[in-house]
């Protein structure tokens, strides 16, 4: 388990990595967020580019609550896991303009990726994209569009105990109440639950 920290960490551990934003930007690892030039998404792919030695990589945002589901998929050779919504070009979505320069309308797609798994094959296509454009692209467009362009194997997880977009019907509940509900109802993955890790 690797942690990518946006700020220089106070805790010193071998699995906590901090990269200076300017160094990551200068390496072309930028634009994986729709608004910010460089985030932990870019730094995570930068880290993987320096340590690309595994068959599969799980990327999990820090505000995702999840139980130990990784072993469930240990024998699955898919290139991209989708746990939530996906969109085809033509749906009303404000961010399509970000991908039009790079993908044709057939392959231009989007997915929510707060929790996902990428194969080394998928990673290599992302790194090739980076090498060609000296940039990355909003991950909600980049991952699924690349997977479709190169006919990679996509795994769509349909499970009522996974609510990666949010607990849609629980918008008025506090974060604490959402975590309690997720535990009680045995949810596998829930997002977003900001700072759920501080809940007693």
């Amino acid at each position: 388990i690797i942690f990518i920290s946006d700020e220089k960490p106070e805790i010193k551990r071998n699995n906590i990595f901090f990269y200076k934003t300017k160094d990551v930007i200068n390496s072309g690892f930028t634009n994986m967020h729709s608004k910010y030039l460089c985030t932990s998404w870019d730094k995570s792919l930068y880290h993987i580019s320096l340590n690309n030695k595994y068959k599969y990589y799980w990327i999990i945002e820090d505000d995702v609550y999840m139980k130990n589901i990784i072993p469930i998929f240990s024998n699955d050779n898919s290139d991209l896991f989708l746990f939530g919504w996906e969109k085809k070009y033509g749906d009303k979505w404000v961010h399509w303009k970000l991908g039009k320069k790079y993908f044709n309308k057939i392959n231009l797609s989007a997915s929510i990726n707060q929790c996902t798994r990428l194969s080394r094959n998928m990673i290599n296509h992302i790194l090739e994209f980076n090498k060609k454009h000296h940039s990355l692209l909003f991950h909600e467009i980049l991952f699924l569009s690349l997977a479709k362009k190169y006919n990679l194997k996509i795994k769509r997880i349909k499970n009522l105990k996974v609510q990666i977009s949010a607990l849609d019907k629980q918008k008025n509940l506090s974060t604490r109440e959402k975590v309690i509900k997720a535990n009680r109802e045995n949810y596998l993955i829930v997002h977003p639950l900001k700072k759920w890790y501080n809940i007693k």
Side-chain angles (χ1 to χ4, degrees), residues 3 60-68 114 164 167 174-180 182-183 188-200:
F3 296 90
I60 305 165
E61 291 186 351
D62 64 348
D63 55 357
V64 170
Y65 168 90
M66 68 180 294
K67 296 186 178 178
N68 189 21
Q114 281 90 351
I164 197 67
L167 282 171
S174 69
T175 298
R176 178 181 176 82
E177 290 170 324
K178 287 181 180 180
V179 172
I180 291 172
N183 268 316
L188 300 175
I189 307 174
V190 181
H191 175 275
L193 292 172
K194 298 292 185 183
K195 297 186 178 180
W196 58 265
Y197 39 78
N198 286 336
I199 293 174
K200 303 293 185 184

Side-chain angles (χ1 to χ4, degrees), residues 63-64 83-87 111-115 140 162-169 171 178 189-193:
D63 55 357
V64 170
F83 287 96
W85 57 254
E86 61 180 295
K87 300 178 185 292
S111 59
I112 195 167
N113 307 309
Q114 281 90 351
C115 173
E140 291 188 5
V162 172
Q163 294 201 31
I164 197 67
S165 298
L167 282 171
D168 293 329
K169 297 179 180 178
K171 291 180 180 178
K178 287 181 180 180
I189 307 174
V190 181
H191 175 275
L193 292 172

Side-chain angles (χ1 to χ4, degrees), residues 9-184:
E10 296 178 8
I11 303 172
K12 304 297 183 184
R13 295 284 189 276
N14 290 335
N15 64 336
I16 301 176
F17 291 85
F18 167 75
Y19 298 104
K20 292 182 179 179
T21 298
K22 65 178 182 179
D23 293 337
V24 177
I25 291 174
N26 289 339
S27 297
F29 287 81
T30 61
N31 296 313
M32 290 202 77
H33 193 280
S34 62
K35 185 188 301 183
Y36 303 106
L37 183 61
C38 185
T39 67
S40 287
W41 272 101
D42 304 282
K43 294 176 182 181
S44 294
L45 268 296
Y46 176 74
H47 176 83
I48 291 173
S49 75
L50 302 176
N51 301 275
N52 191 9
K53 56 187 177 181
Y54 301 104
K55 288 184 177 180
Y56 303 102
Y57 297 85
W58 284 85
I59 300 181
I60 305 165
E61 291 186 351
D62 64 348
D63 55 357
V64 170
Y65 168 90
M66 68 180 294
K67 296 186 178 178
N68 189 21
I69 67 163
I70 292 176
I72 297 173
F73 302 104
S74 59
N75 295 319
D76 192 304
N77 65 354
S78 299
D79 295 296
L80 172 65
F81 280 10
L82 300 182
F83 287 96
W85 57 254
E86 61 180 295
K87 300 178 185 292
K88 295 180 180 179
Y89 179 73
D91 291 354
K92 290 184 178 180
W93 196 50
V94 67
H95 300 300
W96 287 127
K97 60 183 181 293
L98 300 174
K100 285 183 178 180
K101 176 181 176 182
Y102 304 101
F103 297 99
N104 62 38
K105 293 179 181 179
I106 295 175
N107 296 318
L108 185 55
S109 305
S111 59
I112 195 167
N113 307 309
Q114 281 90 351
C115 173
T116 188
R117 195 195 74 174
L118 311 175
S119 70
R120 183 188 295 160
N121 190 20
M122 181 82 220
I123 290 292
N124 287 339
H125 282 296
I126 294 170
L127 297 180
E128 282 296 318
F129 182 96
N130 172 258
K131 183 178 179 180
K132 180 178 180 181
H133 301 288
H134 198 65
S135 175
L136 290 167
L137 179 65
F138 186 27
H139 64 88
E140 291 188 5
I141 293 175
L142 183 62
F143 292 172
L144 187 55
S145 298
L146 277 178
K148 288 191 174 182
K149 179 177 180 178
Y150 293 104
N151 296 311
L152 304 185
K153 187 175 179 181
I154 301 166
K155 177 84 169 187
R156 295 169 174 86
I157 311 299
K158 302 295 183 183
N159 188 320
L160 294 177
K161 296 298 183 183
V162 172
Q163 294 201 31
I164 197 67
S165 298
L167 282 171
D168 293 329
K169 297 179 180 178
Q170 324 300 330
K171 291 180 180 178
N172 295 324
L173 294 182
S174 69
T175 298
R176 178 181 176 82
E177 290 170 324
K178 287 181 180 180
V179 172
I180 291 172
K181 178 179 174 61
N183 268 316
R184 184 175 64 245

